[in-house]
Amino acid sequence: MQKIKLMAHLVAGFPTEEIAFSAAKALIEGGADILEIQLPFSDPSADGPAIQGACTEVLNRKYKTADGLSFIKKIHEEFPEVPLYLMSYASLVYTPGIENFCKEAAECGVSGMIIPDLPFDFDEGLTQACRKNGMENIPVAAPSMSDERLAKLSTAGFKYIYAALRAGITGTNTTIDSKTIDFLNKVKSGGSKVYGGFGISNGEQSAILSKVVEAVVAGSVFVRIINDNKDDVEALKQKVTAKAKEISYS
């Protein structure tokens, strides 16, 4: 059985701090190599119903950015060997000042930033602020990009690029075909390591993707399991761990 590198997505604080932390532990036990932790946002432009619903539920508790960073810090202290990437949207990062935000995130244990609505070439100083604080800015590539723009991104010198496997929102099933593979090869043509995600929910998909990406990204599938089992934490942990093993081993 071959290990597939897995980046697993969590919404900070969903559905509670305690359950979210249990889910993080279950993901790591199941084989997640990286945790991508999302700060809840009121109008997520790329997130499907599962993640959007989770964000809404957490925000209804008056959850703040500081709460999300505290959650990340707690995971980092418990699992210092696991890379933690912070995923959010530009306004949460821009409002306190990008350099201030990056400094605080790094102090909480964040090693990478994924901000989908900050383009790689107009990032308001995000890449520079990340580097100053020992983090990586991980820009997002999409199949809707022109070949010219993909070439510009792939040769821009980023260590990692997040490749969204299709246009639209995440959470619905993604078919991986020759066009998908061609797109991923273009993204990594400049030497960046590529994370591939958007609609990944099973081991069959991850086995195909693992041949061309650094890590497979799965998110909505875990958020749905957490939501469906939030009243039975033991069942939640078992199912999250089992799904993580399915996706990260073939």
Side-chain angles (χ1 to χ4, degrees):
M1 185 171 285
Q2 179 186 0
K3 176 72 175 76
I4 297 168
K5 197 168 186 180
L6 170 64
M7 183 199 300
H9 183 105
L10 271 179
V11 175
F14 177 73
T16 67
E17 292 288 293
E18 296 75 16
I19 294 175
F21 190 76
S22 294
K25 292 176 69 174
L27 285 167
I28 293 167
E29 288 171 10
D33 303 275
I34 304 164
L35 293 184
E36 177 193 11
I37 303 173
Q38 177 169 350
L39 298 183
F41 191 73
S42 57
D43 187 23
S45 58
D47 299 324
I51 293 175
Q52 189 167 0
C55 286
T56 299
E57 186 171 326
V58 176
L59 290 172
N60 284 340
R61 304 202 318 261
K62 310 300 182 186
Y63 201 81
K64 305 295 185 187
T65 296
D67 299 320
L69 290 173
S70 295
F71 175 74
I72 291 171
K73 185 176 181 180
K74 181 180 178 183
I75 294 177
H76 175 65
E77 289 172 347
E78 183 78 12
F79 303 101
E81 74 286 356
V82 177
L84 304 179
Y85 294 163
L86 185 154
M87 183 264 165
S88 188
Y89 290 91
S91 63
L92 290 186
V93 180
Y94 186 83
T95 300
I98 284 179
E99 191 159 328
N100 292 334
F101 187 95
C102 287
K103 182 176 184 293
E104 190 172 358
E107 288 171 351
C108 291
V110 174
S111 56
M113 299 277 287
I114 302 172
I115 313 296
D117 55 344
L118 275 180
F120 73 95
D121 47 355
F122 293 96
D123 69 2
E124 303 291 345
L126 178 63
T127 298
Q128 183 179 354
C130 283
R131 288 173 179 164
K132 183 176 178 180
N133 289 281
M135 300 186 297
E136 298 289 338
N137 177 27
I138 304 169
V140 177
S144 55
M145 285 181 169
S146 66
D147 285 348
E148 182 182 6
R149 186 156 178 79
L150 274 178
K152 185 178 178 183
L153 172 56
S154 70
T155 56
F158 291 99
K159 185 175 181 179
Y160 304 110
I161 298 173
Y162 185 127
L165 300 178
R166 55 175 169 73
I169 59 173
T170 189
T172 54
N173 199 49
T174 295
T175 300
I176 302 164
D177 55 20
S178 59
K179 289 184 179 179
T180 310
I181 303 303
D182 289 344
F183 164 64
L184 290 168
N185 284 329
K186 289 176 184 177
V187 176
K188 68 178 186 176
S189 62
S192 299
K193 296 179 180 180
V194 175
Y195 301 131
F198 247 55
I200 300 305
S201 61
N202 60 62
E204 183 180 352
Q205 292 169 307
S206 62
I208 298 169
L209 273 183
S210 67
K211 297 176 176 61
V212 287
V213 299
E214 169 73 7
V216 173
V217 187
S220 293
V221 62
F222 295 121
V223 175
R224 283 193 292 267
I225 292 172
I226 292 166
N227 187 55
D228 291 345
N229 295 276
K230 58 189 175 186
D231 295 326
D232 186 344
V233 178
E234 287 307 312
L236 180 153
K237 290 191 288 189
Q238 290 173 11
K239 290 178 181 180
V240 166
T241 298
K243 179 55 73 172
K245 285 182 177 177
E246 177 196 337
I247 294 174
S248 60
Y249 290 93
S250 68

